[in-house]
Structures are given as structure tokens and as C-alpha cells.
Amino acid sequence: TFLISHKTIEKIGINKAFLIGIKKLIDYFNPESIVIDGRKISLNSEKRTYFFVRGDARLNSLGAASIAAKVKRDKYMLNLSRKYPQYKFEQHKGYGTKLHRTLIKKYGLSDIHRKYFCRNLISN
């Protein structure tokens, strides 16, 4: 799987987790080149790499990949909503909506919430 767990993200940070995810994709697909939506970063890869800020709006392939990733994530959040119904993930998909913030304040963090990312919600 290409999923990077919340525990890994919490432990090493989102940027390093992103790099691990990219490495997993490169190892699995072995592409000739890589196109990434975002600013230039060091991948330590011998592959030709192209970066496009707001690439999902500029390249159809990045736009399609962005949609596919969002659909996959939304399905994952729907599955989590069955385990954690009090957080209503089926409604906000884990994004920082007012409803999500309100439910975190009411119920606290679940074991799948990233504590560092949510630190401001639980300290207020």
C-alpha cells in the first residue's frame, strides 16, 4: 500500500512522510520520469523530475491524480467513520471544518488523529 500511517506522520513529520510515499510510488511503478504537484524538493532520485506549483490546475495528469487520491482518501475516511462515528468523518472526511474541530473539542482526539497537527485544537 502507498498509505503512510498517521503514526508515521506523527513520528517523522509530514514532509518526510511525503518523501517516503513518493519513494514507494517510484519503487513500485519505476517510471521514466516523475511529475509532482508542488514546489521543488530533493527526492534523491536519478529519475527526471518535474515540479509544478498548482500543477493539478495546469496539467490534466496531475489533476486526475489529485482527484484519484482524494477519492481514495474519502473512501478511507468513510471506513474510519464506522469505527469512530462520533467524529462524523463521513461528513467532513477529516478536513479541518468547523464541525470536525467542534467534535474534537467535544470528544478529544481519537487514536487516529495526529496530535501534533491538532495541538491547537486540544490546547484551547
Side-chain angles (χ1 to χ4, degrees):
T1 179
F2 303 118
L3 179 70
I4 306 298
S5 75
H6 63 281
K7 290 178 183 178
T8 298
I9 295 170
E10 190 77 18
K11 184 176 178 180
I12 66 173
I14 193 72
N15 292 328
K16 287 182 183 174
F18 174 78
L19 292 173
I20 289 171
I22 294 293
K23 173 105 173 76
K24 283 183 173 187
L25 290 167
I26 292 169
D27 291 347
Y28 183 82
F29 289 107
N30 192 26
E32 289 182 25
S33 60
I34 305 161
V35 180
I36 295 180
D37 183 2
R39 62 178 171 73
K40 188 174 185 177
I41 56 173
S42 176
L43 293 179
N44 294 325
S45 174
E46 295 179 8
K47 307 286 184 179
R48 284 179 305 202
T49 307
Y50 306 92
F51 297 89
F52 295 89
V53 174
R54 299 191 183 268
D56 58 340
R58 297 173 59 192
L59 296 171
N60 289 339
S61 58
L62 285 177
S66 178
I67 291 168
K70 184 179 181 328
V71 168
K72 180 81 171 169
R73 183 186 183 283
D74 287 355
K75 285 181 182 178
Y76 175 72
M77 295 308 297
L78 286 174
N79 287 332
L80 285 178
S81 72
R82 293 181 192 99
K83 185 174 180 180
Y84 305 97
Q86 70 273 31
Y87 293 100
K88 302 188 184 303
F89 291 130
E90 73 280 2
Q91 290 181 33
H92 55 73
K93 311 296 187 295
Y95 292 105
T97 65
K98 183 177 181 181
L99 173 62
H100 192 189
R101 293 189 309 270
T102 298
L103 294 172
I104 289 173
K105 286 178 182 177
K106 181 175 182 179
Y107 296 109
L109 297 177
S110 71
D111 60 344
I112 55 112
H113 280 100
R114 290 187 284 139
K115 285 139 189 77
Y116 181 79
F117 184 77
C118 297
R119 68 192 179 281
N120 293 332
L121 291 175
I122 56 178
S123 65
N124 294 333

